[in-house]
Each structure stands twice: as structure tokens, then as C-alpha cells.
Amino acid sequence: MSPKRYTLALLVLLLLLLASAGAFNRIVDPFWYFRDVEIRGFNLDKPRFPRNERLVKSALVRKLRPEAVILGSSYAEVGLPATHAGFTGGGRLKPYNLSVSGGAWPEIYCYALFALAQPGLKRMVLGASGSAAASCAGYANLGDVDYAKLLLSQNALSASWETVRRQDGKPRVTAEGMWYFKRFEEKIRNDEDIMVNFANELRSHLCKAPQPDRGFDARRVNRSRPPADASTAGLRGIVRLALEKKVRLVLLIYPKHVLHYEMERQCGELEARWSELWNIVSLVEEEAGPDSPLIEVWDFYGYREVNAERVRAGKPMARRLWQDAGHFNHEVGAVAFDAIFPAGRAGSSAYGRKVSTRDFDRYIDDSESERRAFLPGHAWVQQELDELTRRSK
């Protein structure tokens, strides 16, 4: 064979291999972008979608054009169900969970601007975790599709093989972008495993000298007017854009496990938490008015049973409400959405609170009263917090 024919044959072979790899990746669709073929036992479970969501989620929003979007960090990605009947208006609105794991506020801010710019958006739930503006120069390609990475990259091919291999029926992510995180993790099976998981999550929040008898002084909550500078420009911009687009925007303060709330108190961080909430609520009222039908702030702080699942509950991870003190499962998110989007359900607003500056002080008082009523009947809270504190050091 002549060198020319050899080179041509090699080139044809390489092209055939690339075409075969691209076709294989297209059919298996490990990142759930193309959605041409979905077969149980072949590619229905997507084990490699998590951690690759930044590759496809914004592109899917542009492709699918959802009318109701959830956006935030992994707390929102794991815990807020996009298919909730109230959130979708009884199925009238097409939903998607655009949240990304590890998403800090600067990134979430840029994703929010992107989502609000999409045609047809009518509703957004945003996990509020900051207020400053950020540079979005690094996010100029949000919504673009990188077909080379989806079809021809080594990552895509590896993900496709793993997708075909790991069709074990354990869901990792839904078609609407909700992530199950560690819920079906085989290494987390019993109370001891879950205690370790809680300790690992709380480690980054543990202060050097927690004080179990530390009090809370509501007078130290900063109720000053939010500054009209760069520190609040990001959230103001999001609120203004939502008003301009007539998008209903819900700023959601994530629920936390009562063990997390007790750690905040013992570390002297509770006053800062309430101060930040006041800053968000008062900023929204400055921009949208005190009774805007479009912009709302919902907080899910509280010593309720839904926030107080024992770590040593004798239940497997798959049946729990909480994976750790910050990550709640979609059952908790559904109860939160029942409050925000009641869909005619009687008593659905018992969990959480729509916050305003008018009733802010009463909200603090009610929360303190709720804690005082809750703790005497739940001695395990301090016991498990002491154990977690020891393990977290």
C-alpha cells in the first residue's frame, strides 16, 4: 500500500471512529441534553450528570425554554422539586431546576441574569445567598452548546460507558434537573454512617469555642437601611429585572436542620443571620414596595418536626428527610413549596414564613418562643450536637 493510500485509510478510520463515538454518545446521552432515546436498563439513569451540570444546564434552559425555574446551590438542586404542582401551576408551566452544586453567590447571580433574560419565563425561585454584584465575564457563554464536549470528548465517552454500566435503578438526577446527591449512596447505610456525614458537613461551620449556654440578643440585629452601593447592587439588579420582565420572583432562605441552628446560636452567629435576612427583606421592599405581588421573601427557619429529624433515627438514608444539616431532600422542599404555592391546599402555609419588615420583630419573637417550646421535649438535640461537635474537631 502506498503512503498516500495508507494515510487516506488511516484518516477514514479515524473519522469512522469519531463518528461512531459521537453516535454512541448521542444515543446514550449521558448528560441528558439530546433526549432522543430513554430506555430503562440502558440509559435512563444518568450517573455522570451530577458534577457535569455546568456543561448542559444553561444550554437546556435555552433549548427547553422552561417557564418556571429554580436556581441556587446544591441545597436547591437537591431539595427543591421542579415538578411540584403548586410551582408549576398545576402542570401549566414547564419547569426546570437550574441550580448548580457548589454554586456561590457570584455564579448564582450570573445564572439568575441569564435565566431572567430567557423568553417566556414567568416564575423563579432563587436561593438567596448574597446581594453583591459580580463580574459575569466568565459566564458569557451561558446557554451555548459545546457539541465537541457532548459528543467527541473523552469525558463524554467515559460518561457514556459508565451510564450503560451503572443502570442499577438508583436515580441520580431527574429530567427536570433535580439531583439526589447522596440519598442512594451505598456507603451511607446506617445511623453511624449518617452521623459521620453530618459531622463532615458541619465541620466547616464549627467555630473554635461554641458555648452551649450562649444567649441571643435581638437588639444586636442590624435593622439599618441596606446600602445603595456595590454590596447590594446584585440583588437589586435581579429584583429590578424581575419586575421589568413581570416574573414572579421568590427569594428563598434555605431551611436548615435544627442542629445547624443550634450550632449557629452557640457560635454567636444568629444575630448575623437575622441581620442578613432584614437586609434582604428591606432591600426588596425598597425596590418593589412592601406588598408586591411579584417579589417575595420566604424564610424556613424554625424548630418544626420537618427540620428536626434525628440523626440516630434508625432509618436508612433513602427514607430520610435530611442528608446532612444543610442538604434536605425533596420531601422537605415540597412542604416548603406547599407554603409558597399552596395550590388550594388547606393549612399548607404552616411551614415557613413570608417575611416583611412590618412583622420582622414578631417573627423573631415567635421563632424564639417556638424554640423554647420545642427543646424541652427533644433532649436528643443537645446530645447529638455534642457528639457532632466532638467528631467535627
Side-chain angles (χ1 to χ4, degrees):
M1 181 182 293
S2 68
K4 183 177 179 180
R5 288 186 176 181
Y6 176 81
T7 302
L8 182 61
L10 185 60
L11 180 60
V12 169
L13 178 61
L14 288 174
L15 290 174
L16 286 174
L17 288 174
L18 281 174
S20 298
F24 179 64
N25 292 332
R26 172 78 184 238
I27 294 170
V28 176
D29 194 17
F31 306 128
W32 225 332
Y33 177 77
F34 298 104
R35 306 186 176 211
D36 298 325
V37 178
E38 293 183 4
I39 302 174
R40 186 176 301 278
F42 172 65
N43 72 337
L44 188 61
D45 298 328
K46 307 290 186 181
R48 287 287 293 275
F49 184 99
R51 312 297 187 185
N52 280 287
E53 61 263 61
R54 287 171 177 81
L55 176 62
V56 291
K57 274 199 167 184
S58 67
L60 278 168
V61 165
R62 181 164 286 174
K63 176 183 180 181
L64 300 176
R65 295 194 173 185
E67 299 153 295
V69 165
I70 297 166
L71 178 57
S73 66
S74 60
Y75 295 149
E77 189 177 21
V78 173
L80 299 181
T83 55
H84 182 272
F87 178 63
T88 64
R92 179 174 51 86
L93 302 176
K94 183 189 298 184
Y96 195 73
N97 192 323
L98 180 57
S99 306
V100 289
S101 63
W105 172 253
E107 182 178 23
I108 299 305
Y109 163 73
C110 296
Y111 269 75
L113 296 184
F114 163 78
L116 286 167
Q118 301 310 302
L121 184 68
K122 295 179 174 62
R123 181 171 293 176
M124 176 188 285
V125 172
L126 175 63
S129 57
S131 58
S135 171
C136 294
Y139 299 95
N141 295 326
L142 285 177
D144 292 350
V145 187
D146 192 331
Y147 287 105
K149 289 183 178 179
L150 291 177
L151 295 174
L152 302 176
S153 68
Q154 183 178 354
N155 180 45
L157 187 59
S158 172
S160 290
W161 281 117
E162 190 169 354
T163 298
V164 172
R165 185 176 62 84
R166 293 177 60 188
Q167 292 299 301
D168 52 13
K170 295 179 181 178
R172 276 84 176 184
V173 68
T174 69
E176 297 78 22
M178 192 191 76
W179 183 26
Y180 287 96
F181 194 31
K182 298 181 181 179
R183 187 164 194 176
F184 300 101
E185 176 62 59
E186 293 181 358
K187 296 179 181 179
I188 307 177
R189 298 181 178 181
N190 52 41
D191 287 352
E192 181 61 24
D193 297 334
I194 294 168
M195 181 64 74
V196 171
N197 197 52
F198 264 70
N200 289 338
E201 193 274 339
L202 282 175
R203 184 170 287 114
S204 62
H205 302 283
L206 182 64
C207 57
K208 291 183 179 180
Q211 300 177 20
D213 57 349
R214 188 191 295 267
F216 166 69
D217 187 354
R219 295 171 299 180
R220 293 174 53 203
V221 175
N222 184 356
R223 296 176 178 80
S224 61
R225 183 176 179 178
D229 58 20
S231 67
T232 63
L235 188 56
R236 288 184 190 277
I238 290 171
V239 170
R240 289 172 184 175
L241 188 55
L243 289 169
E244 177 188 334
K245 299 280 188 177
K246 294 182 172 54
V247 172
R248 182 183 177 186
L249 173 64
V250 175
L251 300 176
L252 184 146
I253 313 301
Y254 299 120
K256 298 289 180 66
H257 196 280
V258 296
L259 292 170
H260 198 289
Y261 293 140
E262 285 298 291
M263 181 173 287
E264 280 187 324
R265 182 180 296 264
Q266 293 185 15
C267 289
E269 298 169 355
L270 199 56
E271 290 85 356
R273 181 207 178 272
W274 286 107
S275 297
E276 179 60 25
L277 179 59
W278 170 270
N279 188 65
I280 292 171
V281 174
S282 54
L283 182 154
V284 165
E285 292 184 1
E286 282 185 6
E287 295 295 335
D291 299 300
S292 172
L294 283 178
I295 316 296
E296 303 173 0
V297 180
W298 280 82
D299 185 29
F300 293 90
Y301 180 91
Y303 286 70
R304 307 289 183 89
E305 293 299 331
V306 71
N307 289 350
E309 182 179 52
R310 290 198 62 170
V311 179
R312 296 198 176 279
K315 292 194 297 185
M317 176 69 95
R319 290 175 42 220
R320 287 182 175 257
L321 298 177
W322 291 82
Q323 297 187 29
D324 53 50
H327 290 95
F328 51 94
N329 286 326
H330 64 80
E331 290 85 352
V332 176
V335 179
F337 274 8
D338 286 346
I340 303 170
F341 311 102
R345 297 186 184 185
S348 60
S349 61
Y351 182 49
R353 193 151 176 164
K354 182 181 175 181
V355 190
S356 70
T357 57
R358 287 192 302 268
D359 73 342
F360 197 84
D361 289 338
R362 185 174 61 186
Y363 182 25
I364 293 178
D365 291 342
D366 290 348
S367 298
E368 288 296 294
S369 296
E370 183 176 278
R371 176 180 179 270
R372 287 192 295 269
F374 176 87
L375 288 180
H378 298 79
W380 62 266
V381 172
Q382 189 58 51
Q383 295 167 4
E384 292 193 353
L385 184 59
D386 289 342
E387 181 178 358
L388 285 168
T389 300
R390 291 193 302 270
R391 288 171 175 263
S392 299
K393 290 181 177 178

